[in-house]
Each structure stands twice: as C-alpha cells, then as structure tokens.
Amino acid sequence: KFKSIEMEQDEKKLSAAETKEALLHPERIKEVSQYILNNFRIKTHRSHANGKGFNAMFAVSSVDAAKLYYESLSTLQKDSSKPLKIATIFSFAANEEQSAIGEILDETFEPSAMDSSAKEFLTLAIKDYNAIFKTNYGVNSKEFQNYYRDLSNQVKRQEIDLLIVVGMFLTGFDAPTLNTLFVDKNLRFHGLIQAFSRTNRIYDSTKTFGNIVTFRNLEQATIDAITLFGDKNTKNVVLEKSYKEYMEGFSDISTGEARRGYVDVVKELEARFSNIDDIVTEKDKKDFAKLFGEYLRVENVLQNYDEFSSLKALQLVDI
C-alpha cells in the first residue's frame, strides 16, 4: 500500500504534504512499529542465550513521526512481559526536515522554539523516562540539558533499548553497544554517512559491523554517499554482500579469494562431523574447530537478514 512512496526518489514529491500523510499513515506507523518489535531481539542479537546483545536507534523524519512511533510502540507492547525501554529526544520545531544538501540540522538545547503539541509530547516522554530511572528532568533548558546527558549515559550503558531521534544523537554520538539503526527518514550524502556511522564501532566478535534497517529505499542514496566520500569501488569494501551471496558463496573482491556460502559449510559439517563423539584425534579436533569457526562467522552475518530469520522460523514448524 505504501511501497511506491517508500521507493520514491524525487525529493519534491517526497516533501509534498500528501506524501507526509502517506508516510505517517496510522496503518504504516503500526506496521513499521510491529516489525521493529518482532525483529528487535534478532537484529540486536538479544536472542543469543549468552550475552546481553546490543541496543538500537530509530531515526525518523520529524517530531510528528517521533510522537506517532513512540505512542505506537508503547501501545503495541503494553501487554508484553518484557517490554523494550524506549526513549526519545528532540528540540526541533515540528516537521523540520534536514537540509536539501544532506546535512542533519543541529538541534539546540532550547526546546522553547517548539510548538505546544511537540513540547507537550516531549514533556510526557521525559515523564515516562523519569518514572523508569527515578529522575526528575523536564523541558526547560537547564533540565533538558541534564536529560540529554543522562539519556546519553543510559544509552551507552544499554539501559535504553531503543532511542527515537529526529536529528539529535545522529551526529557525533558514540555508543559502542549500539549495533542497529532503524531509519524512516530521507538521508543523503554527509547526513547519511554521519547517521549510519552511529553503528560502526566494532565491539566484539559478534558486532563486527553496523546494521542498518531502512523503511524507505535509500540504496542509491547510500551508494552515492559512499562513492562521494570514497570512489566507485568503495561500496564493495564498505557494504556487506547480499543474502544470496552469503548463502551460496562469492568471490571476495578485496582479497581475491573465493568465500564459501553457508549451504556448503553446513553440508561439510554434516558430512564430516555428524556425530561429535567421533571427533577424537587432534587433527579431527583442529579440522572441526576451523570448520565450525567458518560456520559461526557466516551465521553471525546472516543473523541480520530477514530471510535467514524466516528460514530459522520455518524449522520450528511441525510439518
């Protein structure tokens, strides 16, 4: 229903009033919110039994969008036994988009410029935050600065699961445990690189790259931005491969080596080591460790693809 407008590349058409109504349509907001809730634990590696996983940020196009998503996500998970801790921050006047050249406009510590409905919503969101963390922040400039600082620390400590932002925290903010950026916003050039870079801190063997989930077609904008700040080959170095390539194998351009796909690795594992009790000799142990390491590396990347999640879910179906 909303596909054509999500795929739209024409800036003028995208900024038309009816477009905003389409992109902020209650049905679309609910679908995107439900997707985030359904996939959050997989995208942030929370579903792994060992370890805490990571947290995520959600970049949206306007204060109106932030309000709608915050309310939708809160409503959809109100009966959940383990609801996500969600927070938001902004100081824009409502609907202030980033500039045409792709810069993300700086937000100030003066929320006084906001209209009353935006200020009212921010007050409620901060009230929710105060209830969770037993704090006492508000929207006047001094309290708001303290809220900003405290929120920054709570995100870094992974006490906040999902942070909804318009422009704040998309530039310069650094949290190594942030691995996923959800995007429902038209990012371009410098702004796109800055926003995507929020997730690029390598953290451990699980977080070897940042994970970007966009609800608009930003593929060409991403290639354009990477090419602008690098060259035409940079995208081959910066971007991960497709799901199909990781499943079936590909030739690594940077090293010239052939990389086996998940299917071949699993086949070999099953053929050579179907019974772990048979792994007795030192050579067998070394061969198994090497092969299983290869399996873990490719599976770690595939965890981020929706197709792989669906494939795993299918295994749970009683045929």
Side-chain angles (χ1 to χ4, degrees):
K1 188 171 179 179
F2 304 105
K3 203 71 172 175
S4 63
I5 208 71
E6 288 170 343
M7 302 299 276
E8 182 58 64
Q9 300 292 307
D10 187 320
E11 292 281 317
K12 290 192 177 70
K13 285 184 185 172
L14 276 169
S15 59
E18 68 268 21
T19 304
K20 291 196 172 152
E21 281 169 29
L23 290 166
L24 299 186
H25 191 286
E27 276 182 55
R28 183 174 179 275
I29 296 287
K30 188 180 177 184
E31 280 292 323
V32 172
S33 301
Q34 194 64 66
Y35 173 90
I36 291 172
L37 293 175
N38 290 350
N39 291 279
F40 184 87
R41 294 187 195 286
I42 298 163
K43 300 291 181 196
T44 57
H45 296 271
R46 298 281 182 94
S47 46
H48 285 208
N50 58 341
K52 204 174 172 185
F54 305 102
N55 50 358
M57 196 183 276
F58 186 13
V60 300
S61 59
S62 64
V63 171
D64 284 353
K67 179 175 188 285
L68 291 168
Y69 277 121
Y70 184 88
E71 289 169 350
S72 176
L73 287 158
S74 302
T75 302
L76 287 169
Q77 64 165 359
K78 71 174 187 294
D79 297 324
S80 169
S81 58
K82 286 180 77 178
L84 298 181
K85 281 190 228 164
I86 299 170
T88 187
I89 190 165
F90 53 84
S91 64
F92 272 171
N95 291 325
E96 194 166 343
E97 280 273 13
Q98 67 178 49
S99 70
I101 55 166
E103 296 287 336
I104 294 171
L105 299 174
D106 284 335
E107 292 187 65
T108 68
F109 286 119
E110 287 297 332
S112 53
M114 288 193 294
D115 65 23
S116 58
S117 69
K119 197 178 274 190
E120 198 176 307
F121 161 56
L122 185 59
T123 304
L124 286 171
I126 294 175
K127 194 176 167 190
D128 290 345
Y129 181 92
N130 288 336
I132 295 171
F133 296 108
K134 309 288 185 284
T135 47
N136 191 28
Y137 302 117
V139 292
N140 73 48
S141 60
K142 188 130 197 280
E143 285 179 1
F144 185 70
Q145 282 185 49
N146 291 333
Y147 170 61
Y148 176 97
R149 276 193 285 269
D150 195 65
L151 177 60
S152 171
N153 289 329
Q154 298 293 16
V155 172
K156 287 175 183 175
R157 288 201 289 261
Q158 276 185 278
E159 294 299 329
I160 290 293
D161 299 316
L162 180 67
L163 176 63
I164 302 171
V165 297
V166 182
M168 274 188 168
F169 284 76
L170 283 182
T171 59
F173 177 64
D174 187 30
T177 60
L178 199 74
N179 88 315
T180 299
L181 176 72
F182 295 103
V183 182
D184 190 21
K185 179 182 182 76
N186 292 313
L187 293 164
R188 296 171 68 221
F189 301 125
H190 188 241
L192 183 142
I193 297 288
Q194 279 193 304
F196 284 15
S197 296
R198 292 316 105 224
T199 69
N200 75 355
R201 276 284 298 274
I202 291 172
Y203 186 69
D204 57 16
S205 60
T206 306
K207 190 191 170 190
T208 55
F209 49 80
N211 193 24
I212 314 291
V213 182
T214 68
F215 301 104
R216 305 189 188 188
N217 182 4
L218 297 182
E219 185 175 11
Q220 194 54 50
T222 302
I223 292 166
D224 290 347
I226 291 168
T227 306
L228 179 69
F229 294 103
D231 58 40
K232 64 179 186 297
N233 189 47
T234 307
K235 74 175 194 296
N236 298 319
V237 181
V238 173
L239 300 177
E240 289 291 335
K241 304 294 176 194
S242 69
Y243 171 73
K244 189 171 185 285
E245 286 169 300
Y246 281 119
M247 287 300 277
E248 298 174 7
F250 59 92
S251 177
D252 192 329
I253 293 171
S254 57
T255 63
E257 293 174 19
R259 292 268 297 273
R260 288 200 301 172
Y262 180 82
V263 174
D264 287 338
V265 176
V266 170
K267 272 183 186 165
E268 189 184 340
L269 261 176
E270 287 182 334
R272 292 180 61 191
F273 303 106
S274 57
N275 185 356
I276 56 166
D277 295 330
D278 295 340
I279 305 170
V280 180
T281 68
E282 282 304 310
K283 184 180 184 309
D284 282 346
K285 287 176 183 175
K286 280 181 181 169
D287 287 351
F288 173 75
K290 188 180 176 191
L291 187 57
F292 198 70
E294 189 181 356
Y295 162 79
L296 288 174
R297 278 192 298 278
V298 69
E299 199 215 28
N300 181 44
V301 177
L302 281 166
Q303 294 280 356
N304 301 287
Y305 291 79
D306 289 352
E307 297 95 329
F308 193 68
S309 304
S310 304
L311 199 65
K312 287 178 86 170
L314 265 179
Q315 293 175 304
L316 305 174
V317 174
D318 185 337
I319 302 298

